[in-house]
């Protein structure tokens, strides 16, 4: 599976990044750590509906810039 563009390779489903969750992801939690990442660097965690808020809140609590986008949106950009 390749997540470089935020989408799976060859029809594989993207799995939620929450530990222990095997649900299919439908969201991308896009973030960076400003203390170690340049402004243009972005990291992506995949999220299912159930864990979208948890993953976003986890990063926001650490004062990381974070946004949530539909999984398919970044693949088309």
């Amino acid at each position: 599976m390749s997540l470089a563009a935020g989408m799976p390779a060859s029809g594989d489903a993207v799995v939620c990044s929450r530990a222990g969750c095997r649900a299919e992801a439908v969201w991308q939690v896009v973030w960076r750590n400003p203390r170690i990442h340049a402004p243009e660097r972005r990291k992506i965690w995949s999220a299912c509906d159930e864990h979208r808020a948890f993953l976003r809140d986890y990063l926001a609590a650490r004062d990381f810039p974070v946004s949530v986008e539909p999984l398919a949106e970044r693949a088309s950009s």
Side-chain angles (χ1 to χ4, degrees):
M1 180 175 358
S2 170
L3 290 178
M7 291 299 293
S10 67
D12 293 339
V14 177
V15 177
C16 181
S17 296
R18 174 74 164 116
C21 182
R22 303 307 303 158
E24 184 174 350
V26 292
W27 299 100
Q28 293 183 113
V29 181
V30 183
W31 64 281
R32 73 180 179 89
N33 181 339
R35 291 182 290 276
I36 61 174
H37 298 138
E40 63 277 358
R41 170 104 188 261
R42 298 287 185 258
K43 301 194 60 115
I44 299 171
W45 285 354
S46 302
C48 64
D49 281 330
E50 181 180 353
H51 294 117
R52 178 183 78 165
F54 173 85
L55 294 170
R56 186 210 142 330
D57 293 348
Y58 178 88
L59 295 163
R62 286 148 181 80
D63 293 325
F64 294 168
V66 61
S67 65
V68 177
E69 304 168 5
L71 189 61
E73 187 175 298
R74 284 191 61 94
S76 63
S77 57

